[in-house]
C-alpha cells in the first residue's frame, strides 16, 4: 500500500450525512456541512470546541444521557485499532 497524504477535510465533506472528526478529548477537528446545518452553527464556531457542549443529553449536564457517553466510550476503542498491514 502506498502512503499518501489524506485530505481529511475533503474526505469529511464528501461523506453523506452528518460527519465530524474528534480528538480523544472530544474536541472537533473537522465537521461537514450537514453536521453544521443540524447544529445551526458555523465551522468557525465549532472547530476547536468541546462536542458535549452541543448536546442537551450530555452526561456533563444529565447523568442518564447516552449519546455523548457512547461517543466518549467508542472513541478510545477506535483509536486503539490498528490498520491492516
Amino acid at each position: 500500500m502506498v502512503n499518501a497524504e489524506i485530505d481529511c477535510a475533503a474526505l469529511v465533506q464528501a461523506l453523506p450525512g452528518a460527519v465530524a472528526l474528534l480528538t480523544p478529548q472530544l474536541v472537533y477537528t473537522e465537521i461537514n456541512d450537514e453536521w453544521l446545518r443540524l447544529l445551526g452553527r458555523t465551522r468557525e464556531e465549532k472547530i476547536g470546541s468541546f462536542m458535549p457542549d452541543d448536546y442537551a443529553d450530555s452526561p456533563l449536564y444529565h447523568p442518564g444521557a447516552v449519546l455523548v457517553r457512547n461517543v466518549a466510550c467508542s472513541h478510545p476503542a477506535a483509536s486503539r485499532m490498528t490498520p491492516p498491514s
Side-chain angles (χ1 to χ4, degrees):
M1 186 169 167
V2 175
N3 286 336
E5 189 70 27
I6 296 173
D7 183 348
C8 290
L11 177 62
V12 167
Q13 287 302 323
L15 292 170
V19 179
L21 296 180
L22 303 167
T23 68
Q25 295 77 32
L26 302 180
V27 172
Y28 292 110
T29 59
E30 188 56 57
I31 308 171
N32 73 359
D33 292 337
E34 180 63 8
W35 192 293
L36 292 167
R37 185 189 70 75
L38 292 172
L39 288 177
R41 302 295 175 93
T42 66
R43 183 167 281 100
E44 291 75 23
E45 291 175 306
K46 298 316 317 164
I47 298 298
S49 70
F50 187 51
M51 185 271 286
D53 288 342
D54 291 329
Y55 299 94
D57 77 341
S58 171
L60 296 174
Y61 313 112
H62 304 286
V66 295
L67 173 69
V68 173
R69 183 177 61 231
N70 288 347
V71 170
C73 289
S74 68
H75 195 286
S79 69
R80 285 191 300 271
M81 298 174 90
T82 56
S85 42

